[in-house]
Amino acid sequence: MKIAIKHFIHGALESARDAGELELSPFPEILVEKPKDEKMGDFSTNIAMTLAKSERKNPRAIAEIITRYLSNVSDDLSEVEIAGPGFINVRMSQDFFLQRLRNAVSQGNNFGQTDVGKGIKIMIEFVSANPTGPLHVGHGRGAAVGDALARILRKAGYDLSTEYYVNDVGNQMNFLGRSTWLRYKELLGENIEFPDDHYRGDYIKTIAKEVVDLKGDEFLSQSEQDCLPYFRKFSKDTILGGIKNDLADFGVTFDNWFSEESLYEDNSVEKAIEWLREQGHIYEKDGAVWLKSSAFSDDKDRVIVKKTGEKTYFCSDIAYHQNKINRGFKKLVNLMGADHHGYVPRMEAVLEAMGYDKKIFKILLVQFVSLLRAGEKVSMSTRSGEFETLTDVVNEVGVDAARYYFLMRSSDTHLDFDLELAKKEAPENPVFYIQYAHARICSIFRTAEEEGVVWNRSAEIDLSPLVDEEEYAIIRAILAFPEVVEKSALAMEVHRISHFLLDLVSRFHGYYSRHRVVSEDKSLTLARLYLLDALRITIRNGFELMGISAPEKM
RNA sequence: GCGCCCGUAGCUCAGCUGGAUAGAGCAACGGACUUCUAAUCCGUAGGUCGAAGGUUCGAAUCCUUCCGGGCGCACCA
């Protein structure tokens, strides 16, 4: 929509230049925005103010010149005026909006789709929680944000893949296997001493029980060394399976699950080290192998092979990201918990060492979630916390509310998640406020049908009965949707969608209370239904990006 | 000590990559259902944008310093 306006202004500027009234060298970037107050106009530009300096004229004088040329550039412009220090406010004809409204409706589920992404191949990696225990609420936020972002980027025209990186090697896997093994022996009556640094959660006991059910006591006679591989694999597979299930229940699926172990199996890690060595980015000190990351974005060098000969997590991460690039991804996005932010510079250093601009790599930090119950903080400690897992929260408040709460705030601010509020079906809960609007619209359509109104989406409906300013306010809001998606994608900020929907829907609720849709006036009824259909499509598409359902009845 | 994030109404947060008189929800107060879902609507009140400087036509937004809160600073992942 704004592109059209930009185009008009561009034309006016060119005419002004050709007539010698403006110099315009270089030709300026045109910014079109919505005025502060809708009463001031449909669109506004500050172009006259930004030109003030280079043209050596005062902004209002420049605005007057532009306005003169703008007036006859298109019939769609119904009003052009100068305001304040030099803003040019324009108002568009009803036809301009109605035509675009029809266009939106005809796009249906695709409405909102844009092509800013230009088909660029991009990967977003998120959650990637270690398979050593169930997902907790923090992972839940990461999952919701990553999944929504993926949907938004697709909608914005990127060629997107999602991936979950499974850290299935290393010491933690040994601890995991050993934890299960110990619980297994305990179940079979042996006395054990359970170390503090092992996984103490009850889920380990559940897994041990499964081993007992499957294998009986056959491992009792074996040495730890012999049976550990089995326990390690079984525990990992079980937990990973649980994670996949939890995520699926939460509406989150991945295009690919990438195993860290596979990087060792195909020698990628070794090759990556060799390669870095050839590039001269590696040296040895104190019996360990170091990456000279301080030569790049990092503030110190990092160990990649310990003096014990074991590779660090960071080491396989190098191979992993090399692998991503080799698969042809032009942009890599990683979501991480904010507590890992110290990791960012060294990863950027890796990309730079590989010879890439660190701009192709974007790490989004997702801040912590505080779980509240009626305003009181719920303990998150592993021992006492009853509502710490994602599944528990989803079971209590539902998928829609949980996802909404994770997505409603900018992900770089701490989130207070109030369980009581999230499951409350009340006005102060924005999820239901938006869903209710959708259900209400559907209800109006049911009423219309009962009243014998014949309606179908593809029929050529006369929209001229739409004259109310409130109706145009809704239309303008609907038509802004593609721009919201676009901005949301470029800024990688998911919360914009929920704010957009909230604003959109509150206009509708107000409109609803003041206007009757289904009435004696046939043509007015049809035109208004058409508008509500567009609105319904927009709400649905917006919710789709958030992974939230749009119920037809509530 | 060093680095990253945050500080906007009583509370929770927006503020569109520098623009017009700083917004919304909740909470508070006052109104609106014989009419398509009151899970709704309308109105009132509420502010030194943490503080001080700087950059310019113009700053909540950009820069510097300080204060306050969170999180990091491993041969853990």
Side-chain angles (χ1 to χ4, degrees), chain A residues 228-248:
Chain A
L228 207 54
Y230 176 85
F231 280 94
R232 220 164 33 205
K233 183 168 190 320
F234 187 84
S235 307
K236 190 244 326 182
D237 289 346
T238 307
I239 289 172
L240 198 56
I243 287 174
K244 283 186 189 183
N245 275 335
D246 290 353
L247 287 172

Side-chain angles (χ1 to χ4, degrees), chain A residues 12 22 49 118 142 155 220 230 251 268 277 315 343 418 441 473 493 504 551:
Chain A
L22 293 174
M49 281 136 84
K118 302 187 194 84
K155 194 96 178 167
L220 273 190
Y230 176 85
S268 296
R277 200 189 299 277
C315 184
Y343 203 67
D418 194 312
I441 293 168
E493 291 178 347
L504 179 67

Side-chain angles (χ1 to χ4, degrees), chain A residues 198-469:
Chain A
H198 282 45
Y199 298 98
R200 311 191 69 100
D202 284 342
Y203 61 92
I204 295 289
K205 295 179 184 168
T206 311
I207 297 169
K209 178 82 174 39
E210 284 179 49
V211 178
V212 173
D213 291 345
L214 247 92
K215 300 282 189 178
D217 61 0
E218 78 173 66
F219 292 115
L220 273 190
S221 53
Q222 294 182 22
S223 71
E224 172 176 340
Q225 209 185 348
D226 285 342
C227 62
L228 207 54
Y230 176 85
F231 280 94
R232 220 164 33 205
K233 183 168 190 320
F234 187 84
S235 307
K236 190 244 326 182
D237 289 346
T238 307
I239 289 172
L240 198 56
I243 287 174
K244 283 186 189 183
N245 275 335
D246 290 353
L247 287 172
D249 290 345
F250 195 45
V252 176
T253 56
F254 287 86
D255 296 324
N256 194 25
W257 295 72
F258 193 98
S259 153
E260 181 181 5
E261 195 172 20
S262 72
L263 292 168
Y264 285 97
E265 284 166 353
D266 67 5
N267 270 325
S268 296
V269 178
E270 277 306 326
K271 283 185 210 154
I273 295 172
E274 262 331 292
W275 185 81
L276 285 169
R277 200 189 299 277
E278 282 163 23
Q279 306 295 307
H281 296 318
I282 273 181
Y283 65 93
E284 299 193 17
K285 194 183 83 181
D286 304 332
V289 180
W290 298 69
L291 177 74
K292 220 183 280 177
S293 46
S294 65
F296 306 98
S297 294
D298 209 357
D299 58 344
K300 56 174 111 168
D301 294 342
R302 306 289 173 179
V303 168
I304 56 175
V305 184
K306 306 182 216 173
K307 62 182 162 203
T308 59
E310 288 171 294
K311 317 275 194 304
T312 61
Y313 169 84
F314 180 52
C315 184
S316 45
D317 229 10
I318 295 170
Y320 179 41
H321 285 85
Q322 203 168 39
N323 175 290
K324 285 183 184 176
I325 287 176
N326 289 343
R327 276 186 275 162
F329 292 105
K330 298 290 179 246
K331 191 153 178 117
L332 308 179
V333 181
N334 286 23
L335 256 74
M336 303 192 331
D339 52 334
H340 287 80
H341 70 256
Y343 203 67
V344 176
R346 80 183 74 167
M347 277 316 302
E348 288 177 345
V350 168
L351 271 291
E352 288 173 293
M354 288 194 271
Y356 297 98
D357 189 332
K358 67 178 174 186
K359 285 200 198 94
I360 70 162
F361 187 51
K362 173 87 177 164
I363 294 185
L364 295 175
L365 296 172
V366 179
Q367 296 287 341
F368 284 172
V369 179
S370 299
L371 223 41
L372 307 179
R373 184 172 291 286
E376 294 290 310
K377 206 158 208 154
V378 175
S379 169
M380 293 284 288
S381 84
T382 326
R383 299 249 166 93
S384 60
E386 212 175 305
F387 289 92
E388 56 180 14
T389 69
L390 173 61
T391 304
D392 287 338
V393 170
V394 169
N395 284 344
E396 178 164 350
V397 308
V399 171
D400 286 342
R403 288 188 73 124
Y404 189 89
Y405 271 76
F406 286 137
L407 298 175
M408 69 193 288
R409 303 280 178 238
S410 161
S411 42
D412 56 25
T413 66
H414 286 236
L415 175 68
D416 283 334
F417 190 131
D418 194 312
L419 291 161
E420 297 302 326
L421 196 55
K423 67 178 170 184
K424 204 163 169 187
E425 300 187 359
E428 62 259 39
N429 188 341
V431 201
F432 293 103
Y433 181 80
I434 302 171
Q435 288 185 321
Y436 182 55
H438 186 266
R440 232 181 188 182
I441 293 168
C442 291
S443 165
I444 294 171
F445 275 87
R446 287 191 293 271
T447 304
E449 200 176 337
E450 282 163 22
E451 305 271 316
V453 178
V454 180
W455 177 88
N456 81 76
R457 182 170 291 168
S458 44
E460 191 62 29
I461 289 166
D462 176 20
L463 297 181
S464 62
L466 296 177
V467 290
D468 196 292
E469 179 44 38

Side-chain angles (χ1 to χ4, degrees), chain A residues 4 78 87 111 138 159 209 275 289 360 363 439 475-476 512 542 551:
Chain A
S78 69
F87 288 101
F111 174 55
D159 177 6
K209 178 82 174 39
W275 185 81
V289 180
I360 70 162
I363 294 185
I475 293 171
R476 280 193 298 268
Y512 173 90

